Amino acid sequence: MLVRLRSVDDPQPSEITPRVIHENRRAVLMAAAAGLATWSASALDAAVAADDVARPSGAALLQTRPSTLSTMERPTPYKDVTGYNNFYEFGTDKDDPAAYAGSLRVRPWTVAVEGEVARPRVFDIDELLKLAPLEERVYRMRCVEGWSMAIPWVGYSFAELIRRVEPTSRAKYVEFVTLADASQMPGLRSSVLSWPYVEGLRIDEAAHALTLLTLGLYGEVLPKQNGAPVRIVVPWKYGFKSGKSLVRIRFVEKQPQTSWNLAAPREYGFYSNVNPQVSHPRWSQATERRIGEDGFLQRKRPTLMFNGYAEQVASLYAGMDLRKAY
Ligand SMILES: Nc1nc2c(c(=O)[nH]1)N[C@H]1C(S)=C(S)[C@@H](COP(=O)(O)O)O[C@H]1N2
Ligand SMILES: [Mo]
């Protein structure tokens, strides 16, 4: 049987998450038969090693609990979630991030939280992993290019962090800044976007319970190609609003200048809420292709208003013309 060693910078060995138990039940039975009677780190390792599905090589996250905010849709296979990505810092092809993000150094890592807050603070990644209880949130994700996935993210509401830094009354927006280090990110040689990659939310959007400070997926720490070690995930907006590998979070008075909005303002608005009725100038947004189910005969799925999260978020936009505020 294969033995997997933990690297020194991995988080603590932990309980097996419910999803991993479910997905590895055959392997777990084998592990149990081999005499590993309890749910221990070694049982997890045995389960992962024995699994015939390509499984994460990262570290398991502590006691991840399920969330009522999860979609019941079947999660997109791990190999697609981690093999079909947009992360232009590592290249513009969908398989570039998986091929090249290995050069990203995810430890040590800090996130500076600053601007219009009473308590500016630099968080170490290990503090962020323990700041609030970790939840598994299976979210529908929709890229403006027309594809979608359902991804079992791990993290907690960004509101948990907001609470701890105490925004001032002048904080109207939040800016999310990605690492920009050419020595680790070969894509920075291209000027396809202005670096660093910057995204932003209105503060009430940032404080919404669905907005997830994301530290993992499929029960383990974030793979590098998905934005390790920490990113934001905003499931009712097109994927590009969900900035990866964050190093700086600024609370600001004015609407931030965001990378895609600067690159093509007519195509990528600040709001970028998923909206099947508002087409991108080059692509209809009415339907989508779910990655992992894309046989030639696979019917396209209709795209839902706010990506299916209208009940939770529509009130944030009451009175706004979403054709103008696209
Ligand atoms: N820093 C950074 N963040 C980014 C991107 C990027 O190129 N750079 N791409 C965005 C886009 S277009 C999408 S669809 C999602 C993809 O996230 P995933 O690869 O984890 O599914 O990340 C978003 N966050
Ligand atoms: Mo995207």
Side-chain angles (χ1 to χ4, degrees):
M1 187 181 287
L2 283 168
V3 174
R4 197 168 65 94
L5 296 176
R6 281 174 190 282
S7 67
V8 282
D9 59 6
D10 284 350
Q12 295 282 298
S14 72
E15 306 275 9
I16 299 174
T17 65
R19 182 167 303 281
V20 171
I21 290 172
H22 173 74
E23 293 190 356
N24 293 291
R25 56 189 185 282
R26 185 185 61 81
V28 169
L29 287 173
M30 286 171 60
L36 301 166
T38 54
W39 300 125
S40 63
S42 53
L44 173 65
D45 284 359
V48 169
D51 200 332
D52 45 15
V53 181
R55 288 296 309 171
S57 55
L61 287 170
L62 269 168
Q63 298 170 346
T64 300
R65 54 189 199 188
S67 167
T68 53
L69 295 170
S70 287
T71 170
M72 291 293 118
E73 290 175 29
R74 187 155 57 90
T76 301
Y78 179 82
K79 70 170 173 34
D80 297 310
V81 171
T82 58
Y84 190 92
N85 304 98
N86 273 335
F87 198 168
Y88 276 20
E89 287 85 339
F90 296 100
T92 55
D93 288 345
K94 301 291 171 251
D95 48 7
D96 283 342
Y100 302 120
S103 54
L104 179 65
R105 290 190 300 273
V106 297
R107 295 295 171 97
W109 191 280
T110 58
V111 181
V113 183
E114 57 191 35
E116 291 293 349
V117 291
R119 299 178 181 276
R121 193 167 146 188
V122 177
F123 290 92
D124 186 83
I125 188 63
D126 290 314
E127 286 178 81
L128 288 178
L129 279 159
K130 288 180 294 207
L131 199 69
L134 294 174
E135 295 180 16
E136 179 175 82
R137 304 251 188 106
V138 187
Y139 280 169
R140 283 183 293 273
M141 303 298 294
R142 171 64 157 78
C143 179
V144 72
E145 292 169 275
W147 43 272
S148 66
M149 300 191 188
I151 303 183
W153 301 112
V154 177
Y156 45 80
S157 294
F158 183 65
E160 295 279 356
L161 184 144
I162 296 181
R163 195 154 69 71
R164 286 163 173 88
V165 296
E166 299 175 19
T168 71
S169 59
R170 282 190 296 275
K172 302 284 190 321
Y173 294 90
V174 186
E175 182 181 87
F176 298 92
V177 184
T178 294
L179 177 73
D181 178 351
S183 75
Q184 303 178 51
M185 298 172 141
L188 266 55
R189 285 195 294 259
S190 154
S191 54
V192 59
L193 288 174
S194 67
W195 314 108
Y197 189 101
V198 174
E199 258 311 332
L201 297 171
R202 220 171 52 193
I203 192 150
D204 57 339
E205 299 177 318
H208 192 283
L210 280 170
T211 300
L212 192 70
L213 192 74
T214 304
L215 296 144
L217 60 79
Y218 267 107
E220 303 211 333
V221 296
L222 271 180
K224 293 177 179 180
Q225 58 269 42
N226 295 93
V230 58
R231 70 178 297 177
I232 199 77
V233 170
V234 194
W236 71 94
K237 293 175 179 280
Y238 293 113
F240 70 86
K241 296 297 293 181
S242 296
K244 295 181 167 181
S245 303
L246 301 175
V247 291
R248 191 174 303 279
I249 298 172
R250 297 184 63 227
F251 289 75
V252 293
E253 196 164 3
K254 299 215 170 70
Q255 184 175 301
Q257 301 244 294
T258 57
S259 295
W260 277 106
N261 186 244
L262 283 170
R266 285 190 48 254
E267 302 190 13
Y268 308 104
F270 178 78
Y271 284 94
S272 286
N273 294 311
V274 174
N275 187 341
Q277 282 137 42
V278 177
S279 293
H280 180 277
R282 288 180 284 140
W283 313 294
S284 161
Q285 297 298 340
T287 60
E288 66 198 50
R289 184 170 62 89
R290 179 58 59 94
I291 300 295
E293 318 179 333
D294 49 355
F296 276 114
L297 297 175
Q298 189 67 41
R299 271 272 201 48
K300 285 206 168 182
R301 300 179 174 228
T303 287
L304 304 174
M305 188 63 199
F306 295 113
N307 204 25
Y309 297 98
E311 204 180 307
Q312 291 99 321
V313 302
S315 62
L316 293 172
Y317 309 102
M320 283 175 66
D321 180 348
L322 296 178
R323 286 186 180 275
K324 293 207 176 93
Y326 60 87

